[in-house]
């Protein structure tokens, strides 16, 4: 796999997977979605999460009063656009934005009204957040403070995850966060009640912050459902946060009880800042305001090196040596998952990718592709001059190590043995072979191994046969 | 991938032509006033920002005798002059709308009576937008950040005033600059007759040219044809011209010519045979001049098919017979200096 993204034009739309939130929304009832679409800010945020062609289709019919015949719209679609076009329509139908129809194209009336209002402004919904009156006692935090706050909260969570089970004891995030991590299956409680990171937790660590954030929030939504919170209110609050402005204080007065309760949770994740728990103002952090965009949700990582840290810090050589220009404990801890670290300097960590270190990562459930994509996304600007970006030898070797691990494949099943006669054995074996459930057989020992799903049939067959003989 | 795109909009704000556009005449059955134009334009600009958080926008106004930048999304929050917050409107939209309207109002107010007569500075606004795009693209590519480097820059020109033949050379030069920067130029002719130069601008940069037939449906035209970034246009086609007027303006009198005489050395275009090229000082033999003069149609060019006669006359040797080409398809592409 070439590690550099090239020629984005050749990538057809259908290959881009839809946003994780949209998949969740598709599982919701039409009723809930229509209620969600009543707020202009929700519509705008959801609109932004859609794929470009879907956005354009919505825009094309947004300002039309009457429905458009399907044939008129498809006349605009080019030859290569046919498949993405039908994909887009089905996605929009599942989101109940453009109801399924064989003849006409029209937007859901609620969605249309709200999106129009979002774009033209005005109305009385107050869905973009009511700004708070300036408080003389507490001046709102500046953007640098907010960024530092969000980063600290977020890295606390990740750092806690990565160092669990290593004997270190970093700062613990709050109970609610721990509960969420456990519920989402990223961490699990092992003997003695100690939380330990799971294999999906390791995979989670290698995702980019944006994906991590949404993964946790989605888990939060699932939990909200169980806690009998109104999902629509939870969702619309999250989507409203994403349209707010960084560094501005908003009033909590217009929030519903559910949404006020959410503030505490969001504070724990670092999405929202409040100067005290009972404050009547709140400030969204950069984590919140970039929810629906692809700009980096976290400012440059905590480090004194400055400069190019948001760009990447890893230099990987063909001799498997790895230099990471960072002093961020989280990044070092993540690297430690699959790199054998040798020496540490004030702003540099040197290590090597070895068979043992990669096998350790693989044993933790991390895949070779995840390692490679982590190295790619965090590659140092100097590395970006190389084509391909990562040395091919290293990439191939990491993949080979993964294959090595996959030499053994386990399959559950039953061993049938102690047949009375060779004829009996062959009779049953033939039957099992017809069902295509035989994994291994050995005529000299008169035994064979059948897969799990074939067992009921074989057993019934033997029982019928022995009953017939008897 | 889903990439951010940059849109620069050049708005033609010629008071004379907006007055003509808003008055109902026989030719102009659907008048469009500047006010309703601007409100539809703002909705279009909001739509562009709505599509993606990282989308950037710059708006330039072409006024008589001057060109101004009305808004740019990169240098916002400078002093935050529009402090009043509103719970019902997305803030970037509010800032954008307020800034565009206030800047227009401020500049229109300062227009004196002497300014009104001047032609609009369309070329100035176009060059400013090209410079702006050049700045943001080179700035982001030095950061070697892949996300911002791929910006898909586009320029949309909303034109109401007719061509000024004097601006032929600068427009052509802008087109070549745009080609080099890989900028697509889209043209929307809101009012007035077809513009020869702008047609060529759209054609040469792979943009789309639209002559508004129903001015009251402006927003729908804008959204369907000019909102999609180039990557979407491969899937969902946008209107293109089937006929392009390729006529050029001569360098000597700045007239749009049907038959032109091209200097064989530097490719300058003249409306009549000249003994010495005014651009490169090449002298042409007198014989060639006489022959070319004899070949010219006696009266003013018959208004049939416009043709361009490429008179390739080498300074010393025998001149080569000019070739007649059909004006609607291919012709001399001049002005490449």
């Amino acid at each position: 796999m070439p590690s550099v993204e090239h020629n984005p034009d050749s990538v057809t739309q259908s290959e881009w997977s839809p946003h994780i939130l949209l998949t969740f929304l598709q599982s919701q009832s039409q009723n809930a979605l229509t209620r969600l679409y009543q707020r202009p800010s929700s519509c705008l945020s959801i609109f932004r999460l859609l794929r470009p062609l879907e956005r354009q289709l919505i825009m094309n019919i947004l300002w039309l009063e009457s429905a458009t015949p399907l044939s008129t719209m498809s006349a605009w679609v080019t030859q290569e656009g046919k498949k993405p076009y039908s994909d887009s329509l089905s996605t929009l139908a599942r989101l109940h934005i453009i109801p399924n129809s064989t003849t006409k194209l029209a937007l859901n009336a609620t969605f249309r009204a709200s999106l129009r209002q979002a774009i033209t402004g005005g109305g009385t919904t107050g869905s973009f957040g009511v700004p708070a009156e300036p408080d003389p006692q507490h001046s709102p935090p500046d953007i640098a403070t907010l960024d530092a706050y969000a980063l600290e909260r977020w890295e606390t969570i990740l750092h806690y995850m990565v160092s669990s089970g290593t004997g270190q004891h970093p700062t613990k995030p709050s109970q609610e966060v721990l509960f969420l991590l456990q519920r989402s299956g990223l961490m699990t409680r092992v003997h003695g009640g100690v939380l330990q990171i799971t294999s999906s937790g390791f995979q989670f660590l290698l995702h980019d912050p944006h994906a991590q954030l949404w993964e946790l929030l989605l888990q939060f939504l699932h939990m909200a459902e169980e806690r009998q919170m109104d999902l629509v209110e939870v969702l619309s609050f999250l989507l409203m946060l994403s349209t707010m402005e960084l560094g501005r204080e908003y009033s909590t007065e217009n929030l519903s009880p559910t949404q006020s309760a959410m503030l505490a949770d969001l504070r724990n994740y670092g999405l929202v800042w409040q100067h005290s728990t009972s404050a009547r103002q709140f400030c969204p952090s950069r984590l919140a305001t970039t929810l629906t965009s692809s700009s980096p949700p976290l400012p440059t990582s905590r480090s004194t090196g400055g400069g190019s840290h948001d760009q990447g810090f890893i230099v990987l050589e063909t001799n498997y040596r790895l230099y990471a220009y960072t002093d961020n404990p989280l990044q070092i801890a993540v690297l430690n998952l699959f790199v054998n670290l040798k020496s540490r300097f004030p702003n540099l960590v040197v290590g090597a990718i070895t068979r043992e270190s990669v096998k350790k990562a693989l044993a933790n459930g991390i895949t070779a592709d995840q390692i490679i994509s982590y190295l790619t996304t965090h590659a140092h600007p100097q590395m970006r001059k190389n084509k391909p970006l990562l040395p091919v030898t290293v990439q191939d070797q990491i993949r080979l190590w993964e294959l090595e691990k996959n030499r053994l494949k386990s399959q559950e099943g039953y061993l049938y043995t102690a047949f009375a006669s060779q004829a009996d054995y062959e009779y049953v074996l033939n039957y099992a072979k017809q069902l295509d459930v035989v994994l291994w057989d050995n005529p000299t020992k008169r035994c064979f191994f059948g897969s799990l799903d074939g067992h009921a049939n074989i057993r019934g067959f033997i029982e019928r046969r022995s009953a017939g003989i008897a | 991938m889903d990439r951010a795109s940059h849109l620069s909009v050049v708005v033609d704000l010629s008071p004379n032509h907006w007055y003509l556009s808003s008055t109902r005449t026989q030719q102009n059955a659907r008048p469009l006033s500047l006010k309703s134009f601007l409100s539809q334009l703002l909705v279009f600009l909001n739509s562009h920002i709505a599509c993606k958080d990282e989308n950037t926008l710059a708006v330039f106004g072409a006024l008589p005798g001057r060109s101004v930048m009305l808004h740019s999304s990169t240098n916002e929050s400078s002093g935050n002059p529009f402090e009043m917050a509103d719970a019902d409107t997305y803030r970037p939209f509010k800032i954008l709308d307020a800034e565009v309207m206030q800047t227009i109002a401020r500049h229109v107010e300062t227009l004196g009576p002497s300014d009104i007569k001047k032609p609009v500075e369309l070329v100035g606004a176009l060059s400013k937008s090209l410079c702006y795009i050049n700045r943001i693209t080179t700035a982001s590519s030095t950061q070697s950040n892949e996300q911002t480097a791929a910006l898909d820059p586009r320029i949309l020109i909303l034109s109401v005033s007719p061509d000024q033949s004097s601006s032929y050379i600068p427009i052509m030069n802008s087109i070549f600059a745009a080609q080099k920067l890989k900028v697509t130029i889209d043209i929307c002719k809101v009012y007035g007759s077809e513009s020869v130069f702008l047609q060529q601008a759209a054609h040469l940069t792979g943009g789309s040219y639209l002559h508004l037939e129903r001015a009251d449906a402006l927003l729908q035209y804008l959204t369907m044809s000019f909102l999609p970034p180039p990557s979407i246009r491969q899937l969902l086609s946008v209107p293109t011209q089937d006929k392009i007027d390729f006529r050029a303006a001569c360098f000597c009198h700045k007239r749009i010519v049907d038959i032109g005489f091209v200097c064989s050395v530097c490719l300058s275009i003249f409306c009549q045979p000249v003994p010495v090229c005014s651009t490169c000082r090449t002298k042409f033999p007198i014989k060639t001049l006489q022959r070319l003069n004899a070949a010219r149609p006696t009266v003013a060019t018959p208004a049939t098919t416009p043709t361009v006669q490429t008179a390739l006359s080498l300074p010393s040797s025998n001149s080569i017979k000019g070739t007649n080409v059909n004006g609607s398809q291919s012709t001399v592409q001049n002005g490449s200096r």
Side-chain angles (χ1 to χ4, degrees), chain A residues 66-80:
Chain A
S66 52
T68 322
L70 205 57
S71 53
T72 312
M73 187 56 82
S74 50
W76 289 98
V77 183
T78 59
Q79 197 59 41
E80 69 236 69

PDB file of all heavy atoms in Angstrom, chain A residues 66-80:
ATOM      1  N   SER A  66     -41.588  23.155  -4.851  1.00  0.00           N
ATOM      2  CA  SER A  66     -42.268  21.914  -5.226  1.00  0.00           C
ATOM      3  C   SER A  66     -41.234  20.814  -5.431  1.00  0.00           C
ATOM      4  O   SER A  66     -40.049  21.078  -5.588  1.00  0.00           O
ATOM      5  CB  SER A  66     -43.062  22.131  -6.507  1.00  0.00           C
ATOM      6  OG  SER A  66     -42.217  22.685  -7.478  1.00  0.00           O
ATOM      7  N   ALA A  67     -41.716  19.601  -5.434  1.00  0.00           N
ATOM      8  CA  ALA A  67     -40.812  18.463  -5.583  1.00  0.00           C
ATOM      9  C   ALA A  67     -40.254  18.414  -7.005  1.00  0.00           C
ATOM     10  O   ALA A  67     -40.904  18.834  -7.960  1.00  0.00           O
ATOM     11  CB  ALA A  67     -41.558  17.183  -5.279  1.00  0.00           C
ATOM     12  N   THR A  68     -39.036  17.932  -7.125  1.00  0.00           N
ATOM     13  CA  THR A  68     -38.402  17.809  -8.427  1.00  0.00           C
ATOM     14  C   THR A  68     -38.601  16.392  -8.938  1.00  0.00           C
ATOM     15  O   THR A  68     -38.389  15.448  -8.180  1.00  0.00           O
ATOM     16  CB  THR A  68     -36.888  18.037  -8.308  1.00  0.00           C
ATOM     17  OG1 THR A  68     -36.682  19.068  -7.367  1.00  0.00           O
ATOM     18  CG2 THR A  68     -36.264  18.380  -9.626  1.00  0.00           C
ATOM     19  N   PRO A  69     -38.969  16.227 -10.188  1.00  0.00           N
ATOM     20  CA  PRO A  69     -39.027  14.863 -10.718  1.00  0.00           C
ATOM     21  C   PRO A  69     -37.643  14.221 -10.668  1.00  0.00           C
ATOM     22  O   PRO A  69     -36.635  14.884 -10.916  1.00  0.00           O
ATOM     23  CB  PRO A  69     -39.501  15.044 -12.159  1.00  0.00           C
ATOM     24  CG  PRO A  69     -40.108  16.395 -12.197  1.00  0.00           C
ATOM     25  CD  PRO A  69     -39.413  17.211 -11.164  1.00  0.00           C
ATOM     26  N   LEU A  70     -37.620  12.947 -10.353  1.00  0.00           N
ATOM     27  CA  LEU A  70     -36.355  12.227 -10.216  1.00  0.00           C
ATOM     28  C   LEU A  70     -35.566  12.274 -11.520  1.00  0.00           C
ATOM     29  O   LEU A  70     -34.343  12.367 -11.521  1.00  0.00           O
ATOM     30  CB  LEU A  70     -36.654  10.783  -9.831  1.00  0.00           C
ATOM     31  CG  LEU A  70     -35.567  10.027  -9.078  1.00  0.00           C
ATOM     32  CD1 LEU A  70     -35.188  10.752  -7.814  1.00  0.00           C
ATOM     33  CD2 LEU A  70     -36.057   8.631  -8.751  1.00  0.00           C
ATOM     34  N   SER A  71     -36.299  12.240 -12.632  1.00  0.00           N
ATOM     35  CA  SER A  71     -35.615  12.200 -13.927  1.00  0.00           C
ATOM     36  C   SER A  71     -34.865  13.502 -14.186  1.00  0.00           C
ATOM     37  O   SER A  71     -33.799  13.507 -14.796  1.00  0.00           O
ATOM     38  CB  SER A  71     -36.631  11.946 -15.029  1.00  0.00           C
ATOM     39  OG  SER A  71     -37.678  12.885 -14.925  1.00  0.00           O
ATOM     40  N   THR A  72     -35.403  14.614 -13.690  1.00  0.00           N
ATOM     41  CA  THR A  72     -34.735  15.901 -13.914  1.00  0.00           C
ATOM     42  C   THR A  72     -33.383  15.925 -13.217  1.00  0.00           C
ATOM     43  O   THR A  72     -32.384  16.358 -13.778  1.00  0.00           O
ATOM     44  CB  THR A  72     -35.594  17.044 -13.349  1.00  0.00           C
ATOM     45  OG1 THR A  72     -36.916  16.863 -13.789  1.00  0.00           O
ATOM     46  CG2 THR A  72     -35.071  18.384 -13.779  1.00  0.00           C
ATOM     47  N   MET A  73     -33.378  15.441 -11.977  1.00  0.00           N
ATOM     48  CA  MET A  73     -32.127  15.468 -11.235  1.00  0.00           C
ATOM     49  C   MET A  73     -31.125  14.486 -11.820  1.00  0.00           C
ATOM     50  O   MET A  73     -29.944  14.803 -11.967  1.00  0.00           O
ATOM     51  CB  MET A  73     -32.406  15.142  -9.769  1.00  0.00           C
ATOM     52  CG  MET A  73     -31.213  15.310  -8.856  1.00  0.00           C
ATOM     53  SD  MET A  73     -30.497  16.952  -8.921  1.00  0.00           S
ATOM     54  CE  MET A  73     -31.594  17.817  -7.813  1.00  0.00           C
ATOM     55  N   SER A  74     -31.588  13.301 -12.202  1.00  0.00           N
ATOM     56  CA  SER A  74     -30.616  12.312 -12.685  1.00  0.00           C
ATOM     57  C   SER A  74     -30.061  12.715 -14.045  1.00  0.00           C
ATOM     58  O   SER A  74     -29.012  12.204 -14.448  1.00  0.00           O
ATOM     59  CB  SER A  74     -31.234  10.919 -12.735  1.00  0.00           C
ATOM     60  OG  SER A  74     -32.451  10.958 -13.411  1.00  0.00           O
ATOM     61  N   ALA A  75     -30.720  13.656 -14.718  1.00  0.00           N
ATOM     62  CA  ALA A  75     -30.172  14.125 -15.982  1.00  0.00           C
ATOM     63  C   ALA A  75     -28.858  14.862 -15.778  1.00  0.00           C
ATOM     64  O   ALA A  75     -28.036  14.949 -16.679  1.00  0.00           O
ATOM     65  CB  ALA A  75     -31.179  15.035 -16.674  1.00  0.00           C
ATOM     66  N   TRP A  76     -28.651  15.371 -14.569  1.00  0.00           N
ATOM     67  CA  TRP A  76     -27.410  16.107 -14.300  1.00  0.00           C
ATOM     68  C   TRP A  76     -26.253  15.176 -13.969  1.00  0.00           C
ATOM     69  O   TRP A  76     -25.106  15.581 -13.953  1.00  0.00           O
ATOM     70  CB  TRP A  76     -27.603  17.055 -13.113  1.00  0.00           C
ATOM     71  CG  TRP A  76     -28.473  18.222 -13.413  1.00  0.00           C
ATOM     72  CD1 TRP A  76     -29.791  18.346 -13.128  1.00  0.00           C
ATOM     73  CD2 TRP A  76     -28.094  19.431 -14.073  1.00  0.00           C
ATOM     74  NE1 TRP A  76     -30.248  19.556 -13.563  1.00  0.00           N
ATOM     75  CE2 TRP A  76     -29.236  20.239 -14.140  1.00  0.00           C
ATOM     76  CE3 TRP A  76     -26.889  19.906 -14.606  1.00  0.00           C
ATOM     77  CZ2 TRP A  76     -29.221  21.495 -14.718  1.00  0.00           C
ATOM     78  CZ3 TRP A  76     -26.874  21.163 -15.184  1.00  0.00           C
ATOM     79  CH2 TRP A  76     -28.032  21.940 -15.240  1.00  0.00           C
ATOM     80  N   VAL A  77     -26.594  13.932 -13.637  1.00  0.00           N
ATOM     81  CA  VAL A  77     -25.557  13.025 -13.153  1.00  0.00           C
ATOM     82  C   VAL A  77     -24.740  12.505 -14.329  1.00  0.00           C
ATOM     83  O   VAL A  77     -25.290  12.067 -15.329  1.00  0.00           O
ATOM     84  CB  VAL A  77     -26.192  11.857 -12.385  1.00  0.00           C
ATOM     85  CG1 VAL A  77     -25.126  10.946 -11.818  1.00  0.00           C
ATOM     86  CG2 VAL A  77     -27.060  12.386 -11.279  1.00  0.00           C
ATOM     87  N   THR A  78     -23.432  12.562 -14.193  1.00  0.00           N
ATOM     88  CA  THR A  78     -22.577  12.063 -15.264  1.00  0.00           C
ATOM     89  C   THR A  78     -22.465  10.546 -15.171  1.00  0.00           C
ATOM     90  O   THR A  78     -22.931   9.925 -14.223  1.00  0.00           O
ATOM     91  CB  THR A  78     -21.161  12.655 -15.147  1.00  0.00           C
ATOM     92  OG1 THR A  78     -20.632  12.276 -13.877  1.00  0.00           O
ATOM     93  CG2 THR A  78     -21.175  14.158 -15.253  1.00  0.00           C
ATOM     94  N   GLN A  79     -21.829   9.985 -16.180  1.00  0.00           N
ATOM     95  CA  GLN A  79     -21.714   8.531 -16.241  1.00  0.00           C
ATOM     96  C   GLN A  79     -21.038   7.967 -14.988  1.00  0.00           C
ATOM     97  O   GLN A  79     -21.541   7.057 -14.352  1.00  0.00           O
ATOM     98  CB  GLN A  79     -20.921   8.148 -17.498  1.00  0.00           C
ATOM     99  CG  GLN A  79     -21.088   6.698 -17.896  1.00  0.00           C
ATOM    100  CD  GLN A  79     -22.549   6.346 -18.160  1.00  0.00           C
ATOM    101  OE1 GLN A  79     -23.284   7.114 -18.754  1.00  0.00           O
ATOM    102  NE2 GLN A  79     -22.969   5.179 -17.688  1.00  0.00           N
ATOM    103  N   GLU A  80     -19.901   8.556 -14.643  1.00  0.00           N
ATOM    104  CA  GLU A  80     -19.177   8.003 -13.490  1.00  0.00           C
ATOM    105  C   GLU A  80     -19.835   8.375 -12.174  1.00  0.00           C
ATOM    106  O   GLU A  80     -19.482   7.837 -11.134  1.00  0.00           O
ATOM    107  CB  GLU A  80     -17.710   8.433 -13.506  1.00  0.00           C
ATOM    108  CG  GLU A  80     -17.473   9.887 -13.258  1.00  0.00           C
ATOM    109  CD  GLU A  80     -16.678  10.529 -14.398  1.00  0.00           C
ATOM    110  OE1 GLU A  80     -17.238  10.660 -15.515  1.00  0.00           O
ATOM    111  OE2 GLU A  80     -15.538  10.890 -14.176  1.00  0.00           O
TER     112      GLU A  80
END
